[in-house]
Amino acid sequence: MTELFTLKHNPLVDPAMHIWAWQIPVYLFLGGLVAGLMILSGYHIIRDRYDTDRPHGHYVTAPMLSVALLSLGMLALFFDLEHKIEVWRLYMTFEVTSPMSWGSWILLLVYPVLIASALLNFQEAQPRLAARYPTVAGVAEAMRSRPGVASLIGFANIALGAGLGIYTGILLSSLAARPLWSSALLGPLFLFSGLSTGAATLHMLTHIEKGEDNSYGDFLVASMVGWIRPKHGEHEGAVKLAHADNGFLTIELSILMLFLINLSGSSAAGHDAAALLLTGPYAAVFWVFVVGSGLVIPLILQGLQAANRIRPTMIPALLVLVGGLVLRFVLVYAGQASHWPRIAGF
Amino acid sequence: MVIDTHKCVGCKDCVVACKTENSVPEGYCRDWITEEARGAFPTIQLELRSERCNHCENPPCVHCCPTGASHVHEPGGVVLVTHEKCIGCKACLGACPYDARFINPEGYADKCTFCIHRVEKGLDPACVSVCPTHCMTFGDIDDPLSKVNQLLASRRHHTLLPEAGTKPKIYYLT
């Protein structure tokens, strides 16, 4: 029998650590999603740079959506800070051992690359806006006329997207005091989760995006019915995205399994941490929303869509997004609940 | 710092002295008493420990700090937080395996400083100076002739969570 009694009583830390609430999972989810969108956009920019005939609606929508989502994520992160007035200090130094410092600087580089990505296809995708803002259109045209610039923006998207996606996982795994987070697999796990949620977002855009001649009302109707009814003429793109998303989901599921196997077979603290997800208080949410509806069901649905057995809809994309968000919530909350054994064994 | 667990009676004088000396806000503590009992009757063993930040040689709280607010003070290797530089991101709270840090109501990460303001004047930390059983000894671990080294050479001792790899600098004599 070993019994521990302590008089320690610090808020947020005792009796169980709960320093991070909804803000951090939301930030990690949005950061990962934007990372996924950037890698996919970068790949398309490099692949399609000479194909000027196709209207690249997503290539403008996706980076601008990324700017909005990333800003929302950073706002959540800002809400989490306890000493908000000092936030500028993040940019007064670069701490090489701190993943949070790396992340702050990566985020600063991400914004100009996203805006450049949106400008690259501005004229083709948004001709009305281009006519209204000739200066912006001029800059966009100057960029587009130089293939080297397009390549550079494409590669910058991929490099920064990968950095951002991995960083969101490393941020937690660097905090080795919490056994659940003490795994280098969190980096690739969050990267592939980011890629799957990024592909799911693009998938949703193919269903709800406004056509050139549609009015705003049509767009709203399309948004509402898009998740149950496929949009005409976009099957090819949707099927490609479903294929890509299934690839990402398969890798994500494999990494998640490896992560749990590794943790279960490690120290007693690691075993207890894995048990929090596998059989403990977070098990129901983990199995139902992360593994079940977040990974396995979308894999099956998108597999059937790709094989033309069912009509492509937004449902699997929606499930992937919910699963990605819940994955962050579960890992952040369960991670805080995991701890080293408190007994000293004197 | 070396703490003799055979002498500690868990009176909490060290806790009160720290709160008074450092104006620790109500409801918070920089040091605390832990009682660990093990075994079965009639061979139960009890250890009373005065615990605080371990001022680790390999401090994860310093490595993860994005602004450099958490730092190692030299000379002496004391782990400190520059309050004005801390943004309150709480990464250091998550990184500490001893849960020794907390967020001060003013928004910055707070913890034991080994009363560096007293030590620099040649005084002992407040907790050491008030201990009625003299169970705590503060000194230079790098000096082979210091009292702390003599105690460690003469008695069995342990640290907290050595498996965490942080190389804690508080030793408990058993």
Side-chain angles (χ1 to χ4, degrees):
Chain A
M1 185 274 297
T2 304
E3 199 171 83
L4 204 70
F5 175 76
T6 181
L7 292 170
K8 191 162 167 284
H9 50 74
N10 286 323
L12 298 181
V13 180
D14 302 304
M17 177 159 282
H18 189 61
I19 50 174
W20 288 330
W22 63 269
Q23 298 93 334
I24 298 299
V26 166
Y27 163 69
L28 295 178
F29 169 70
L30 293 175
L33 195 158
V34 169
L37 280 176
M38 286 182 80
I39 295 171
L40 294 170
S41 301
Y43 168 73
H44 283 288
I45 289 170
I46 292 167
R47 198 192 61 178
D48 294 343
R49 66 187 151 165
Y50 299 116
D51 186 1
T52 52
D53 297 333
R54 291 166 59 186
H56 302 303
H58 298 349
Y59 302 168
V60 178
T61 314
M64 293 322 290
L65 185 68
S66 297
V67 168
L69 293 177
L70 197 59
S71 303
L72 272 179
M74 287 180 76
L75 192 65
L77 193 61
F78 179 71
F79 282 146
D80 176 70
L81 297 181
E82 303 285 345
H83 217 187
K84 295 181 177 58
I85 202 161
E86 301 291 339
V87 66
W88 56 276
R89 294 212 181 252
L90 281 170
Y91 295 107
M92 298 305 287
T93 180
F94 173 63
E95 299 292 326
V96 73
T97 58
S98 165
M100 208 176 272
S101 186
W102 278 89
S104 311
W105 287 102
I106 288 175
L107 287 170
L108 206 63
L109 296 174
V110 160
Y111 277 101
V113 171
L114 286 175
I115 291 166
S117 309
L119 278 179
L120 206 56
N121 292 284
F122 183 63
Q123 202 142 18
E124 288 77 10
Q126 300 288 345
R128 286 182 196 169
L129 278 178
R132 194 179 295 174
Y133 302 106
T135 317
V136 180
V139 174
E141 188 51 41
M143 286 167 65
R144 198 156 173 74
S145 61
R146 294 170 176 80
V149 172
S151 292
L152 189 69
I153 293 171
F155 282 116
N157 264 293
I158 292 174
L160 282 173
L164 183 62
I166 292 173
Y167 140 76
T168 57
I170 299 291
L171 187 67
L172 295 182
S173 71
S174 67
L175 307 177
R178 312 296 138 195
L180 186 71
W181 297 338
S182 183
S183 169
L185 284 170
L186 279 186
L189 175 67
F190 278 28
L191 174 67
F192 279 96
S193 173
L195 277 164
S196 65
T197 50
T201 307
L202 283 179
H203 198 158
M204 288 181 77
L205 285 177
T206 64
H207 282 270
I208 63 172
E209 198 164 37
K210 188 173 74 161
E212 205 171 312
D213 300 324
N214 288 354
S215 68
Y216 188 69
D218 292 340
F219 170 64
L220 281 182
V221 171
S223 307
M224 283 185 279
V225 300
W227 66 286
I228 47 170
R229 207 169 62 195
K231 189 181 172 189
H232 297 294
E234 284 282 2
H235 282 215
E236 192 195 346
V239 167
K240 274 185 185 170
L241 280 167
H243 267 302
D245 205 9
N246 266 9
F248 300 139
L249 289 174
T250 308
I251 297 171
E252 186 187 338
L253 190 59
S254 310
I255 297 174
L256 192 59
M257 282 164 58
L258 287 173
F259 166 70
L260 291 169
I261 290 168
N262 178 252
L263 210 57
S264 302
S266 63
S267 61
H271 181 269
D272 291 348
L276 286 171
L277 298 185
L278 297 173
T279 53
Y282 300 92
V285 176
F286 175 73
W287 287 113
V288 173
F289 290 103
V290 178
V291 179
S293 66
L295 289 166
V296 176
I297 293 175
L299 262 172
I300 295 169
L301 287 179
Q302 291 185 146
L304 292 172
Q305 281 177 16
N308 287 323
R309 301 279 291 276
I310 56 171
R311 290 190 312 176
T313 65
M314 269 166 57
I315 291 170
L318 207 61
L319 290 175
V320 168
L321 286 171
V322 173
L325 180 62
V326 178
L327 172 73
R328 268 67 169 196
F329 265 96
V330 164
L331 282 177
V332 169
Y333 277 65
Q336 293 178 88
S338 71
H339 55 79
W340 286 88
R342 300 198 197 281
I343 52 165
F346 56 93
Chain B
M1 181 181 279
V2 174
I3 300 173
D4 189 340
T5 59
H6 290 180
K7 285 187 181 174
C8 179
V9 293
C11 68
K12 301 182 271 294
D13 258 13
C14 50
V15 180
V16 176
C18 171
K19 284 176 80 85
T20 311
E21 176 70 27
N22 298 295
S23 305
V24 178
E26 196 177 345
Y28 295 80
C29 56
R30 287 185 181 183
D31 61 350
W32 57 94
I33 299 291
T34 297
E35 296 177 19
E36 186 175 331
R38 74 167 184 190
F41 183 81
T43 55
I44 293 175
Q45 287 179 294
L46 177 73
E47 184 174 275
L48 291 169
R49 293 193 297 266
S50 172
E51 294 184 358
R52 58 189 52 62
C53 166
N54 281 273
H55 297 274
C56 306
E57 193 177 324
N58 179 28
C61 53
V62 172
H63 301 327
C64 71
C65 179
T67 64
S70 281
H71 63 282
V72 178
H73 179 77
E74 294 297 352
V78 177
V79 176
L80 297 177
V81 182
T82 308
H83 299 166
E84 310 81 63
K85 275 190 176 180
C86 178
I87 59 171
C89 69
K90 294 167 280 189
C92 55
L93 274 74
C96 175
Y98 309 101
D99 292 349
R101 291 180 168 227
F102 59 90
I103 291 294
N104 187 290
E106 288 181 20
Y108 55 82
D110 204 341
K111 64 182 263 310
C112 161
T113 62
F114 266 164
C115 287
I116 190 76
H117 58 286
R118 288 173 57 92
V119 172
E120 284 180 337
K121 289 180 196 161
L123 300 169
D124 273 337
C127 54
V128 177
S129 67
V130 300
C131 180
T133 63
H134 302 291
C135 78
M136 288 183 255
T137 309
F138 186 76
D140 184 2
I141 200 88
D142 293 329
D143 175 5
L145 298 175
S146 65
K147 184 149 186 225
V148 286
N149 265 318
Q150 288 171 12
L151 281 169
L152 292 178
S154 63
R155 294 272 299 276
R156 252 177 12 110
H157 56 270
H158 70 84
T159 53
L160 297 182
L161 288 177
E163 63 268 37
T166 55
K167 298 184 182 171
K169 296 272 194 61
I170 294 187
Y171 299 86
Y172 294 92
L173 302 178
T174 58

